[in-house]
Amino acid sequence: MPTKSEEDEEGASPSSTPAHLRSPVPELRGLKLFRYELNRRFDGFIRRLCFFAFNGGKFTKFGPRVRLEEALSMDFIARNTTIRVPRVLDVFSIRRTMYIVQERINGPILEDVWHRLSIEEQHSSVLQVKDCLDQLRALKPQQPGRVQAVDGSGLIDSRLDSGEWGPFDNHSDFHQFLNHDVLRAQSQTYPRVQEPLSKVEGKQYKTVFSHGDLGPHNIIWKDGRAVIIDWERAGWFPEYWDYSRAYAARGYMKDWWKMFSEVVDKYDDELELEVRISEYFET
């Protein structure tokens, strides 16, 4: 585990955020936009000519669902843990579309090479993910109890809602957003969720920083080391969140989930509830 400063123990402060990640995000217009387009086209031409150039440099993520909060989460993790994440190089917008320029990590996705790894390599990858979770869970929120993005704003997860949702003042409000109260009130319509709902009712949780979609599809496996990517769903959540979301993110990789669930803290009651809810709704 890394040594943290007193400021980091309390979470990221605005003054510690690099200048290129602070709001408002610069909007590229005029000459700056022209230069960006010229560089982008030139880089694409070079990549087509030279494989070496393709393997180095930068990766730009952009689109209608890309937000500044993803870059802030990656920077927060890079500054406060030893978790390997792509380095954020720049953030800007073009016509209200966010662009995150980050370090290009050349390596296969764990999901694609898992079946070719030895048992020892598979176990090593899972232990590295466990270390990632342990470090995330050791981070201390500035506002314990709140469910929110790294900067205190709302969150995104298309499995829950098509747009931005939250933030929530407490876990109870978050669970209400997840329709726990509605499901309890309509026991005859949703009988299979009643027992797991009763198991989690009244439970108190720590607030921890969570990736929100931690599965083999979001891990680059490079030289025997895991690099965690795609932090767009990250934020402060109840402590069980990454466990239940990893189950949803496992895809077809049941053997990965089995190995993963054997080494991390389990939240099987909360996972059972999520599985039962998914039998009625697509999550």
Side-chain angles (χ1 to χ4, degrees):
M1 290 290 292
T3 302
K4 304 182 187 70
S5 67
E6 183 176 343
E7 174 186 78
D8 291 334
E9 288 289 346
E10 294 302 322
S13 67
S15 60
S16 64
T17 303
H20 66 276
L21 292 177
R22 296 177 194 169
S23 295
V25 174
E27 174 80 15
L28 295 194
R29 298 188 181 92
L31 184 58
K32 289 183 179 180
L33 178 57
F34 174 75
R35 286 175 176 169
Y36 167 77
E37 290 292 348
L38 189 63
N39 289 334
R40 182 180 64 83
R41 291 170 187 264
F42 179 75
D43 288 345
F45 175 71
I46 291 297
R47 284 196 295 269
R48 288 192 291 272
L49 286 179
C50 181
F51 182 76
F52 174 79
F54 179 80
N55 275 338
K58 309 170 184 177
F59 169 75
T60 302
K61 183 173 183 178
F62 64 95
R65 293 186 62 80
V66 175
R67 305 191 308 156
L68 173 63
E69 285 75 13
E70 179 175 358
L72 291 174
S73 292
M74 294 167 64
D75 175 71
F76 176 61
I77 295 306
R79 288 187 292 105
N80 291 278
T81 75
T82 61
I83 298 168
R84 288 175 288 279
V85 299
R87 186 162 52 99
V88 179
L89 304 174
D90 199 4
V91 178
F92 55 86
S93 66
I94 299 176
R95 303 181 187 92
R96 299 185 180 180
T97 296
M98 190 71 64
Y99 288 68
I100 300 176
V101 183
Q102 55 190 273
E103 173 189 13
R104 181 187 293 277
I105 306 296
N106 298 303
I109 299 299
L110 182 62
E111 183 179 58
D112 296 335
V113 298
W114 175 263
H115 65 286
R116 299 202 300 267
L117 302 182
S118 67
I119 293 297
E120 292 76 16
E121 289 173 318
Q122 291 178 348
H123 190 61
S124 174
S125 72
V126 168
L127 288 179
Q128 290 181 48
V129 175
K130 177 187 184 300
D131 178 67
C132 168
L133 289 177
D134 289 345
Q135 292 195 53
L136 291 179
R137 293 163 65 83
L139 296 170
K140 294 185 178 180
Q142 288 183 314
Q143 297 176 298
R146 282 181 60 85
V147 177
Q148 58 188 13
V150 66
D151 61 348
S153 65
L155 300 139
I156 62 169
D157 188 332
S158 58
R159 297 164 297 188
L160 303 179
D161 193 281
S162 59
E164 182 178 313
W165 41 269
F168 302 100
D169 288 334
N170 51 62
H171 296 166
S172 178
D173 288 351
F174 175 58
H175 291 147
Q176 187 172 354
F177 167 72
L178 297 180
N179 293 315
H180 288 189
D181 291 349
V182 173
L183 294 168
R184 286 191 183 94
Q186 301 184 25
S187 58
Q188 292 185 335
T189 305
Y190 307 107
R192 292 195 297 275
V193 304
Q194 299 310 312
E195 182 177 351
L197 273 173
S198 66
K199 291 179 181 178
V200 303
E201 187 171 12
K203 275 192 177 183
Q204 301 296 310
Y205 302 102
K206 293 189 301 181
T207 301
V208 304
F209 200 77
S210 305
H211 179 280
D213 194 22
L214 191 55
H217 66 301
N218 279 332
I219 301 170
I220 294 177
W221 185 246
K222 180 176 175 61
D223 300 327
R225 305 179 75 188
V227 181
I228 312 301
I229 60 173
D230 286 350
W231 291 81
E232 68 269 16
R233 294 172 174 172
W236 297 101
F237 286 93
E239 62 192 271
Y240 66 84
W241 192 246
D242 260 336
Y243 182 76
S244 61
R245 291 285 96 180
Y247 179 83
R250 79 197 187 287
Y252 63 88
M253 297 181 62
K254 295 181 179 179
D255 51 344
W256 178 86
W257 168 256
K258 182 176 185 299
M259 192 175 290
F260 170 82
S261 62
E262 288 173 350
V263 300
V264 300
D265 293 336
K266 293 177 179 290
Y267 295 88
D268 288 335
D269 290 341
E270 291 75 12
L271 175 58
E272 181 188 6
L273 175 59
E274 186 165 313
V275 171
R276 293 291 170 257
I277 292 175
S278 70
E279 293 174 356
Y280 294 103
F281 307 100
E282 183 177 346
T283 59

